[in-house]
Amino acid sequence: ANNGKTYVSVASGLYPRATLQSDSPELSKLCDDFTYLGRVLGKALIDNRILDIAFSEPFYRWLLGTHEKMGLATIRDIDEVLHSSLKQVEIFALKKGAVLKQEGLGEEERNEAIKQIRDDSGCSLDDLCLDFILPGTDIELAPGGQHVTIDNVEEYLCAVVNYTLKDGVRKQMEALRYGFSTVMPLSNLQLFYANEMSNLFCGTGSAQWTEDDLCTTLQPDHGYTATSTAVKHLIQVMTEFQPDEQRGFLKFVTGCPRLPVGGFKSLHPRLTVVKKSVDGHPDSYLPSVMTCVNYLKLPDYSTPEVLRQKLLTAISEGQNSFHLS
């Protein structure tokens, strides 16, 4: 939480929470927010801006219009706990299906075999005390929230999956698609698969920066060359950065904590390091940047250790600040 607001971060990426789809002021406001988010996504794509927010693959499937094919396996991409619970319930449906396929059983024998179905821990479906209620909510998936039995277990699984992935988020995601379409045609995304969309909108994740990559992509200028000691020290320090330090450096220099697809070589303009002129000893000064052109102004520090300390200080103290230089 920050300033009274709660921020959510999920390793697999964000997906809308299923809500009641009946007309209400709350849902109307929510759809307005998703319309705005759609415009942000479209504008970021047009302007070649990287977004520091992770969306799940099912989220992008909605944007691509391939969401109707999502099923139980897709739940794992947005909620592993719910997926695990539904897989436990699915055991009963699978065992019931196996009984129904058995040949040579009379109707009474078949009904008795179905009644005796247990999961791997010896529990019956009735022991789970399930109702047709969306897990974690009070949303009824059937009139009166009827009890889940071995006779309707398949309907329960389908209802939970459909409402979680589709019916419970339909109005929000249609609003997002509409917002995106007001900026650019949705058909422009048809060249991509859902698993490629994250890199398209959010760039690449953290990966160790190598000396070879930095030597070929970093552009020394205005007082520095590729053989300058300060440039070599900078490359050494950057290759030693941990993921959180990489994010801090990128946000400090480029304004975004993630690189576009292709890494540093895809930055436009290129990451440029120039010599910062100072009055006095360079070790007494901090580096500065021009984020609009990916420009790092670096004093000629005496050692890599001093460079690292000054750079991290500037990253920590200089985030979200703006000064004329």
Side-chain angles (χ1 to χ4, degrees):
N2 185 23
N3 295 327
K5 297 181 179 180
T6 301
Y7 296 89
V8 178
S9 177
V10 184
S12 58
L14 298 176
Y15 191 78
R17 182 180 59 191
T19 61
L20 280 173
Q21 297 293 290
S22 56
D23 293 335
S24 67
E26 293 79 11
L27 183 58
S28 178
K29 172 63 169 61
L30 189 59
C31 288
D32 288 343
D33 292 341
F34 273 80
T35 299
Y36 178 76
L37 176 59
R39 292 192 180 109
V40 170
L41 290 172
K43 186 63 174 173
L45 202 56
I46 288 176
D47 292 345
N48 196 30
R49 299 294 181 184
I50 299 299
L51 298 175
D52 184 30
I53 180 170
F55 296 109
S56 62
E57 186 172 317
F59 177 94
Y60 290 119
R61 292 184 68 171
W62 264 99
L63 200 56
L64 291 171
T66 60
H67 53 281
E68 295 298 345
K69 299 178 181 179
M70 297 190 295
L72 175 56
T74 310
I75 295 286
R76 182 172 48 196
D77 294 331
I78 63 172
D79 190 333
E80 290 189 1
V81 174
L82 177 60
H83 178 260
S84 177
S85 298
L86 294 179
K87 290 295 287 185
Q88 285 295 109
V89 177
E90 188 187 34
I91 290 174
F92 294 96
L94 294 175
K95 289 186 175 182
K96 174 185 169 183
V99 171
L100 292 174
K101 290 179 180 178
Q102 284 186 23
E103 298 180 356
L105 289 179
E107 184 175 350
E108 290 187 7
E109 290 178 299
R110 181 176 290 108
N111 291 339
E112 183 62 26
I114 289 175
K115 190 182 298 184
Q116 296 302 319
I117 290 175
R118 300 290 186 271
D119 66 9
D120 296 339
S121 62
C123 293
S124 69
L125 186 57
D126 287 337
D127 292 335
L128 301 182
C129 300
L130 295 174
D131 295 314
F132 272 74
I133 304 291
L134 187 68
T137 76
D138 56 1
I139 298 174
E140 293 185 355
L141 301 176
Q146 66 189 68
H147 188 61
V148 179
T149 68
I150 195 66
D151 295 322
N152 60 21
V153 62
E154 297 91 350
E155 289 83 355
Y156 170 76
L157 287 169
C158 288
V160 172
V161 170
N162 286 336
Y163 206 88
T164 301
L165 294 174
K166 290 173 272 190
D167 294 343
V169 301
R170 191 171 301 279
K171 289 188 177 180
Q172 302 96 294
M173 294 306 291
E174 290 295 350
L176 179 126
R177 285 169 55 83
Y178 168 75
F180 188 95
S181 69
T182 62
V183 179
M184 68 182 299
L186 284 163
S187 58
N188 287 5
L189 298 176
Q190 296 307 308
L191 292 172
F192 302 96
Y193 292 104
N195 59 6
E196 298 172 325
M197 299 287 279
S198 180
N199 285 345
L200 182 66
F201 284 101
C202 305
T204 57
S206 59
Q208 197 64 38
W209 297 340
T210 67
E211 183 177 344
D212 289 342
D213 287 341
L214 294 173
C215 285
T216 56
T217 55
L218 191 147
Q219 180 173 303
D221 209 346
H222 296 299
Y224 286 142
T225 67
T227 59
S228 298
T229 301
V231 174
K232 293 179 179 179
H233 287 172
L234 174 64
I235 291 174
Q236 175 186 334
V237 169
M238 289 176 65
T239 59
E240 297 169 352
F241 276 159
Q242 297 302 307
D244 59 330
E245 293 171 332
Q246 290 180 343
R247 286 177 56 86
F249 175 84
L250 289 173
K251 187 173 183 181
F252 179 61
V253 178
T254 71
C256 180
R258 298 169 68 97
L259 287 170
V261 176
F264 281 106
K265 63 177 177 290
S266 296
L267 281 178
H268 300 288
R270 289 178 61 184
L271 176 59
T272 302
V273 56
V274 301
K275 187 173 184 178
K276 182 173 184 177
S277 299
V278 297
D279 297 326
H281 199 283
D283 289 358
S284 301
Y285 292 82
L286 293 174
S288 57
V289 295
M290 294 171 62
T291 56
C292 55
V293 287
N294 305 328
Y295 210 78
L296 173 62
K297 302 175 183 178
L298 189 72
D300 190 8
Y301 295 120
S302 57
T303 66
E305 292 73 25
V306 173
L307 187 152
R308 177 184 175 84
Q309 185 265 321
K310 294 294 184 181
L311 187 55
L312 292 179
T313 298
I315 290 171
S316 174
E317 302 297 328
Q319 294 288 4
N320 303 317
S321 62
F322 176 82
H323 303 283
L324 295 177
S325 62

